[in-house]
Structure formats: C-alpha cells, structure tokens
Amino acid sequence: GIQVEQSPPDLILQEGANSTLRCNFSDSVNNLQWFHQNPWGQLINLFYIPSGTKQNGRLSATTVATERYSLLYISSSQTTDSGVYFCAVRRASGGSNYKLTFGKGTLLTVNP
Amino acid sequence: DGGITQSPKYLFRKEGQNVTLSCEQNLNHDAMYWYRQDPGQGLRLIYYSQIVNDFQKGDIAEGYSVSREKKESFPLTVTSAQKNPTAFYLCASIGTGGYGTQYFGPGTRLTVL
C-alpha cells in the first residue's frame, strides 16, 4: 500500500512563531487532506488539497503532486493551534477503492 | 445540523464481552469508515464501507465486525477475539466517489477492565 511519512514528529514553538509541517507520500494520489486533532480527540478537516495551494486565515497548504509531498504552513501560531496534525491520502491507482491512509502525525505544542 | 454522531462517548467492558459502538451520519455520504487510535499513535483503518450492504476489511480487522444495513448507520462490534481492545475509536464518512472532505465523529473511548 501507499506509504505516508510526516515530519517532524514533534514540534515546540513559542506563540507568534511560524512553522512548516511536511507530508511525503509514496504514490500518486487523488485525495489529500490535512486534519487537526484537538486535545479532546476531535479531528477537524483543515484542507482538502490533492494539488495546488489553499489558504484559510493563518493556515495555508501546498501540494506538489508530481513530487509527492504536501506542506502545511502555520503562521503567527497561537496556543489553540496545539494538537496533532495528520495528513491523509488516497492512492490514485486504487480505482474504486475509497481507502484513505493516514500518516503518524506531527505533535505541535505552542507555548505562551 | 449535519454531521456524524457516535455513542457512547465512554464505554467500559469486561474482558470476554462483545460490545457494539454506534455511528450515525446525516450527511448523505456513501462511504463510512472505522479507525482505531492508540495513545500517541496515528489512525489505523479497521473497516470501511463504500455502499449499503457492502464493506471491506482495513489494516486491522481481526477481532472486529461491522454491518451496513442503512446508508446512515455503520455500527462496529468489538468481539472478545480482539486481544487489545482498549483504544479510541473514530467513525468517519466521505461523499460520492471517495473524493472531497472526510468528516469525523467525536469518537468513543473503550476501556476493557
């Protein structure tokens, strides 16, 4: 199956700092999503971004499908940004298979 | 409001008992999924269903069973054959064709005593 690697595994920031999270995948994809898991366990979708660039407030994401990676940018980080960030992909050659594969996540801690 | 509901939020089970976790969605999504998350770990796929009356095993299906009799519902049974059932269980759904955003329920924390 497809391999999804996220880096760094852990990241500690001071409030106000910027950060970049990376997601590498081993095959062509037709679905790529970034999620934030809050301390209560709820997963919130941040971006659906199989290719291109999107922005939503202080967050933006870029997927370079031909080079098989995606980046999530967090600017002016706040303590509420803390949590785990997951990347999930669906292999393009999977046909009608709807399976999504998750990376192990990046644990972000933003200190005041 | 549209979304995914899971119940119960917390569940305690004695060893050797089967238990069923509920997942309901009113998003009119075709596909539904069950994931397991252990502390400090990522999400692992247990089962998924792309259409009513059909489902496929994920990466860790042993000791679990599912049914999909209605589009809105995808219950997960954790059987006594599952060796380490204590975990956080998340249900999710996605729209037609498996494209677009995947939405998650709030999860059920299962503890085996």
Side-chain angles (χ1 to χ4, degrees):
Chain A
I2 191 169
Q3 305 299 313
V4 182
E5 293 184 2
Q6 291 187 241
S7 59
D10 299 277
L11 185 59
I12 300 175
L13 302 174
Q14 287 299 121
E15 203 167 21
N18 302 331
S19 61
T20 301
L21 282 57
R22 187 176 180 104
C23 173
N24 291 336
F25 41 95
S26 61
D27 203 344
S28 298
V29 300
N30 57 17
N31 189 328
L32 187 147
Q33 301 182 47
W34 284 97
F35 294 90
H36 175 224
Q37 187 171 37
N38 66 24
W40 297 272
Q42 178 74 54
L43 273 108
I44 304 298
N45 182 278
L46 299 174
F47 293 102
Y48 167 71
I49 187 166
S51 63
T53 297
K54 290 187 178 180
Q55 181 156 5
N56 184 3
R58 295 180 297 103
L59 273 59
S60 64
T62 295
T63 297
V64 184
T66 53
E67 297 188 21
R68 299 183 183 169
Y69 72 89
S70 182
L71 302 173
L72 178 68
Y73 304 97
I74 304 175
S75 65
S76 304
S77 58
Q78 300 175 357
T79 56
T80 52
D81 294 330
S82 295
V84 184
Y85 289 81
F86 289 105
C87 168
V89 304
R90 175 187 168 196
R91 193 160 59 101
S93 56
S96 59
N97 186 324
Y98 291 9
K99 180 179 173 181
L100 281 159
T101 301
F102 280 73
K104 294 187 184 301
T106 292
L107 175 59
L108 175 64
T109 304
V110 181
N111 292 321
Chain B
D1 283 357
I4 301 177
T5 57
Q6 291 185 241
S7 62
K9 191 171 183 178
Y10 298 94
L11 187 57
F12 297 90
R13 186 196 94 176
K14 290 185 179 178
E15 228 174 292
Q17 290 180 336
N18 292 354
V19 64
T20 297
L21 282 57
S22 168
C23 177
E24 303 276 333
Q25 55 99 0
N26 61 4
L27 299 167
N28 199 33
H29 283 171
D30 291 323
M32 297 185 73
Y33 303 75
W34 275 105
Y35 295 93
R36 169 182 172 139
Q37 187 177 32
D38 293 287
Q41 302 297 312
L43 278 69
R44 292 185 291 169
L45 182 64
I46 304 172
Y47 269 99
Y48 64 105
S49 167
Q50 297 178 189
I51 197 168
V52 173
N53 293 323
D54 187 46
F55 47 82
Q56 289 80 39
K57 292 182 179 180
D59 301 315
I60 56 164
E62 186 176 347
Y64 299 97
S65 67
V66 294
S67 62
R68 187 86 186 277
E69 297 176 2
K70 298 187 300 181
K71 188 175 185 178
E72 301 80 18
S73 178
F74 191 40
L76 173 74
T77 297
V78 184
T79 75
S80 56
Q82 168 50 232
K83 292 184 177 12
N84 296 297
T86 295
F88 186 48
Y89 291 88
L90 287 153
C91 179
S93 71
I94 200 166
T96 302
Y99 297 99
T101 301
Q102 187 175 47
Y103 293 92
F104 279 83
T108 292
R109 293 192 185 275
L110 173 64
T111 302
V112 174
L113 305 172

